[in-house]
Amino acid sequence: MTNQVSSPAEQADGTVVGEQRKPVGVKDVRRLDRVVIRFAGDSGDGMQLTGDRFTSETASFGNDLSTLPNFPAEIRAPAGTLPGVSSFQLHFADHDILTPGDAPDVLVAMNPAALRANVGDLPRGAEIIVNTDEFTRRAMQKVGYETSPLEDGSLEGYRVHPVPLTTLTVEALGEFGLSRKEAERSKNMFALGLLSWMYHRPTEGTEKFLRTKFAKKPDLAEANVAAFRAGWNFGETTEDFAVSYEVAPAARAFPPGTYRNISGNLALSYGLIAASRQADLPLFLGSYPITPASDILHELSRHKNFGVRTFQAEDEIAGIGAALGAAFGGSLAVTTTSGPGVALKSETVGLAVSLELPLLVVDIQRGGPSTGLPTKTEQADLLQAMYGRNGEAPVPVIAARTPADCFDAALEAARIALTYRTPVFLLSDGYLANGSEPWRIPELEELPDLTVRFAQGTNHTLDDGTEVFWPYKRDPHTLARPWAVPGTPGLEHRIGGIEKQDGTGNISYDPANHDLMVRTRQAKVDGIEVPALEVDDPDGARALVLGWGSTYGPITAAVRRIRKEGGRIAQAHLRHLNPFPPNLGEVLKGYDTVVVPEMNLGQLATLIRAKYLVDARSHTQVNGMPFKAEQLATALKEAIDD
């Protein structure tokens, strides 16, 4: 646990050397600059809710933070088993941070499975709060403990706090007339109260949340509030917790503005709504539920008042088909999915390329192939987004880098789609989708103008002087064709998947015309205006680490560690993956070594090598988890030393 203040020496009278004298019995308060906490238990123990509430109070307190929810793949795995462990990790600090932390300083383990699944991630000296009520012989044997780890000395390197969470919760709720099973369900609120005391978190927001959540069952609401308060009081009164901790707000880390805590999927949803308002177009989502993208469908369905229409289709193909139809009808059209769904949607993406209509294809990547690891993260769909269609079907690809950045990435994807009349892939992943961080709510004037001009009348004069509408007569700058809303008088035109004649849009099998259309569609994507790549290189380094997507946080944290130790390394991060930034080739040639960390087997590195003939080094990981900053720093230092 990082601590800016060395541990003070305690005197016989209970006072502490080097700090203000405190009366006997008053607990010590120690200041920390950061802490990493992990809540772990069965998928039915409410660990995600507990972590989310602790996060919300931490955000309201003003700390910078980053989270990592970790779900089991099974909807309800057998209770007390390793596959059923659900965890929520939170890293919060008094300064700017970028990752949910490499290792927990504190583990709250609700049962033996939670302890066994997570103890290997703990550094020596970490604190473990254990629900001793669950450490029965049968529960321990279920996860391979032959003897109790609480008694056999295996946890001697840690500060263990044995707490009978279940018993204390049931006792605290005795006056509410609940059955034991009903009372036990509130043990996560007892744990939340204890941790809230331990780290001086606000409590009003959680109590208000509980009363709102259980508004139709006020007795249950008050029982949960009572369990929460009992956990707080337990921390205050028990002798086992002699110290509480303060992590000051991170005011200096944030520019002025109004902030809220936000997850990647929520930020992306808000970005889509903002894009539709800035374009003055109705937003249509055609989607089929799939982990980890379903939250976008859930969120957008709540915003009909903003002109949002959501359609839960019977399958992935129907979802994108409806979205493409909405694009033809003049909507900002979106379809959301994950890797397996992209495979099913690929034919319709190719149709959108041929029709040259704006369409956002949002891919929240997960571990694959096939069903793979539905609840774990990966960024292995890059090549599928680039090339996963028949024929020459170029599609712009952009990627968000943090949960909050998903908002801006959605706006950028919409800009490209609407300006250039093309489908666009927007890549996120499970790490960003479920993770959260503080987000500054932008002012309206900060949002881009995405106003669209639909075709209004004829645009071509024939040799005989007749005025006609040509659906494939292009803007000379963007090469975008006009967007003609069906039903507009005089703008009748043919659409379909068969090749069109340049200009007229009539069906054409002419070889020369097909060559022209293929090259024109490619030129349109190649000509998309994207910002130059920014390089962070304060020391004139010889090595560059190049990333994309959700590797931004771990890479930046690793680079900070290297520079703090005196190493020189440059960093650049790609948002636009097709087309690449115009200066990328020049940037790459300016360094002796280029390292590309990815949560795949080297897909961006392959593209970089092929396009720029640069011997980019891959550093890869495909274990379903994000990079750890310390491990990444070690790998980057080795590259610098070579």
Side-chain angles (χ1 to χ4, degrees):
M1 189 179 294
T2 302
N3 190 345
Q4 297 284 34
V5 180
S6 58
S7 299
E10 188 170 316
Q11 300 295 314
D13 63 355
T15 60
V16 177
V17 176
E19 293 190 348
Q20 184 178 359
R21 295 175 63 88
K22 299 175 182 178
V24 176
V26 175
K27 295 191 176 184
D28 186 21
V29 177
R30 296 180 185 173
R31 298 184 183 275
L32 307 176
D33 63 350
R34 66 171 190 90
V35 69
V36 180
I37 298 174
R38 183 182 297 177
F39 299 92
D42 267 336
S43 57
D45 282 340
M47 293 296 93
Q48 302 304 322
L49 175 62
T50 305
D52 182 69
R53 288 313 313 161
F54 195 93
T55 299
S56 295
E57 298 297 355
T58 296
S60 69
F61 188 72
N63 296 117
D64 195 13
L65 62 90
S66 180
T67 69
L68 178 63
N70 192 3
F71 309 95
E74 292 80 3
I75 294 175
R76 189 66 176 94
T81 63
L82 293 176
V85 173
S86 176
S87 67
F88 188 105
Q89 183 164 307
L90 166 68
H91 182 192
F92 61 101
D94 65 2
H95 57 277
D96 176 34
I97 57 174
L98 298 154
T99 74
D102 287 356
D105 301 306
V106 181
L107 171 66
V108 179
M110 303 297 282
N111 59 21
L115 178 63
R116 181 141 200 148
N118 293 282
V119 69
D121 294 337
L122 301 179
R124 308 301 283 180
E127 295 194 71
I128 305 176
I129 300 172
V130 182
N131 181 13
T132 55
D133 287 327
E134 296 297 321
F135 277 71
T136 64
R137 183 176 182 83
R138 181 181 178 187
M140 289 187 290
Q141 288 178 340
K142 193 181 292 187
V143 295
Y145 281 128
E146 295 183 2
T147 60
S148 172
L150 307 181
E151 300 172 354
D152 63 9
S154 60
L155 300 179
E156 285 184 355
Y158 309 102
R159 289 178 285 170
V160 181
H161 302 280
V163 181
L165 286 172
T166 306
T167 299
L168 292 172
T169 303
V170 172
E171 291 176 352
L173 303 186
E175 65 183 274
F176 290 91
L178 302 175
S179 69
R180 181 177 178 86
K181 185 175 182 180
E182 289 174 326
E184 285 180 359
R185 291 174 180 165
S186 298
K187 62 181 181 290
N188 63 324
M189 288 298 103
F190 188 101
L192 178 60
L194 173 57
L195 268 294
S196 297
W197 169 84
M198 193 172 175
Y199 288 96
H200 296 206
R201 299 298 91 185
T203 60
E204 294 81 3
T206 294
E207 293 189 10
K208 181 179 179 181
F209 167 83
L210 291 171
R211 291 190 172 102
T212 301
K213 180 178 177 64
F214 299 107
K216 295 182 180 180
K217 298 181 178 180
D219 289 344
L220 192 58
E222 293 307 316
N224 276 279
V225 170
F228 176 68
R229 291 177 175 176
W232 176 284
N233 293 333
F234 178 79
E236 181 72 23
T237 58
T238 183
E239 294 182 2
D240 192 37
F241 291 89
V243 177
S244 64
Y245 303 93
E246 285 186 351
V247 181
R252 290 177 295 175
F254 300 121
T258 302
Y259 286 80
R260 59 156 295 167
N261 185 51
I262 200 164
S263 68
N265 273 350
L266 184 57
L268 201 154
S269 299
Y270 287 174
L272 293 174
I273 295 172
S276 75
R277 294 298 82 206
Q278 292 302 103
D280 195 23
L281 297 175
L283 177 63
F284 180 90
L285 173 66
S287 182
Y288 179 74
I290 184 172
T291 302
S294 299
D295 287 341
I296 301 172
L297 172 60
H298 300 160
E299 182 61 33
L300 290 181
S301 67
R302 300 186 178 105
H303 297 287
K304 296 182 179 63
N305 56 313
F306 286 111
V308 179
R309 295 295 178 265
T310 54
F311 169 57
Q312 181 173 320
E314 66 268 26
D315 56 41
E316 296 280 6
I317 298 172
I320 191 174
L324 185 56
F328 178 57
S331 294
L332 175 58
V334 184
T335 188
T336 53
T337 189
S338 190
V342 173
L344 293 167
K345 295 177 187 289
S346 62
E347 182 179 5
T348 308
V349 175
L351 177 60
V353 171
S354 177
L355 299 181
E356 300 189 45
L357 287 171
L359 173 68
L360 301 187
V361 182
V362 178
D363 178 9
I364 312 297
Q365 302 164 94
R366 72 189 203 189
S370 188
T371 308
L373 304 174
T375 60
K376 308 301 179 183
T377 196
E378 205 166 88
Q379 51 177 178
D381 293 348
L382 175 57
L383 293 183
Q384 181 177 218
M386 290 283 289
Y387 302 118
R389 294 162 294 282
N390 69 297
E392 295 288 348
V395 174
V397 181
I398 72 171
R401 65 184 188 178
T402 70
D405 184 57
C406 288
F407 178 87
D408 296 317
L411 285 166
E412 175 64 359
R415 177 192 73 85
I416 293 173
L418 295 172
T419 302
Y420 296 90
R421 310 285 196 270
T422 176
V424 176
F425 266 98
L426 171 55
L427 301 181
S428 177
D429 58 43
Y431 173 35
L432 298 184
N434 298 316
S436 62
E437 65 178 350
W439 172 57
R440 187 181 70 84
I441 301 173
E443 300 296 334
L444 187 60
E445 58 269 18
E446 296 174 354
L447 301 179
D449 182 5
L450 301 179
T451 304
V452 174
R453 295 182 59 186
F454 290 112
Q456 298 297 325
T458 58
N459 61 1
H460 185 76
T461 304
L462 299 177
D463 292 341
D464 62 3
T466 304
E467 297 288 332
V468 297
F469 174 68
W470 275 13
Y472 281 83
K473 186 169 185 178
R474 302 177 183 279
D475 180 288
H477 178 64
T478 65
L479 299 182
R481 76 174 186 89
W483 194 359
V485 176
T488 307
L491 303 189
E492 297 83 2
H493 61 284
R494 211 179 261 114
I495 64 169
I498 298 177
E499 185 63 277
K500 323 297 189 296
Q501 184 181 48
D502 181 40
T504 69
N506 296 330
I507 292 174
S508 174
Y509 294 99
D510 178 61
N513 177 77
H514 177 60
D515 185 273
L516 173 64
M517 294 295 280
V518 168
R519 295 180 186 278
T520 301
R521 288 189 289 261
Q522 183 65 58
K524 180 172 67 171
V525 173
D526 292 342
I528 291 173
E529 293 184 359
V530 302
L533 180 65
E534 296 183 0
V535 182
D536 176 18
D537 185 7
D539 303 313
R542 297 174 56 190
L544 169 72
V545 54
L546 179 69
W548 70 277
S550 66
T551 57
Y552 173 79
I555 288 174
T556 307
V559 167
R560 287 180 179 179
R561 294 187 183 201
I562 292 172
R563 290 176 180 171
K564 189 175 182 179
E565 296 172 1
R568 294 191 299 172
I569 189 167
Q571 177 186 0
H573 208 78
L574 292 169
R575 161 166 284 173
H576 299 87
L577 297 159
N578 192 32
F580 285 128
N583 65 330
L584 177 56
E586 179 182 353
V587 167
L588 294 173
K589 292 177 182 177
Y591 294 91
D592 297 339
T593 303
V594 177
V595 183
V596 184
E598 300 179 77
M599 291 188 293
N600 57 48
L601 295 183
Q603 296 186 16
L604 176 61
T606 297
L607 295 174
I608 293 296
R609 293 186 191 110
K611 185 173 179 65
Y612 299 105
L613 304 181
V614 171
D615 186 20
R617 302 186 186 183
S618 283
H619 180 73
T620 63
Q621 176 177 296
V622 281
N623 60 5
M625 299 295 288
F627 283 108
K628 292 184 176 180
E630 183 177 0
Q631 295 174 349
L632 193 53
T634 299
L636 294 177
K637 283 188 284 188
E638 291 176 355
I640 295 174
D641 295 338
D642 286 350

